Amino acid sequence: MSRHSVKIIHEGGFGAEVPVELIEDEGGWAPYLSVEDARKLDTVRLALKRGDIAAAASYGRVFELKRVAG
């Protein structure tokens, strides 16, 4: 059984909402991510880190984060 969810990745001045599926299981460490979804999150994090917004945006919505108060 699985359910849809959104993980938020924050790197530098950017954030991304990445859709993933959480896998529910009777035992163990449920809910957990598939290997593909975990790699997708890593790919988005690395893309944001190097400033490649287009690559990160191919996996989900990307936002520029701005500080409002000091």
Side-chain angles (χ1 to χ4, degrees):
M1 179 185 217
S2 64
R3 61 184 163 101
H4 296 285
S5 184
V6 173
K7 292 291 184 184
I8 297 175
I9 302 295
H10 170 257
E11 189 65 48
F14 297 99
E17 290 181 342
V18 183
V20 295
E21 283 197 37
L22 295 177
I23 300 168
E24 300 284 345
D25 196 1
E26 288 294 320
W29 297 87
Y32 57 91
L33 296 170
S34 68
V35 173
E36 295 82 20
D37 279 343
R39 286 188 180 139
K40 179 171 47 172
L41 294 175
D42 285 342
T43 300
V44 171
R45 185 182 326 277
L46 290 172
L48 291 176
K49 191 172 191 171
R50 68 177 180 267
D52 190 352
I53 305 307
S58 68
Y59 293 97
R61 297 181 349 167
V62 176
F63 301 90
E64 183 175 8
L65 305 175
K66 294 184 180 183
R67 181 172 290 225
V68 178

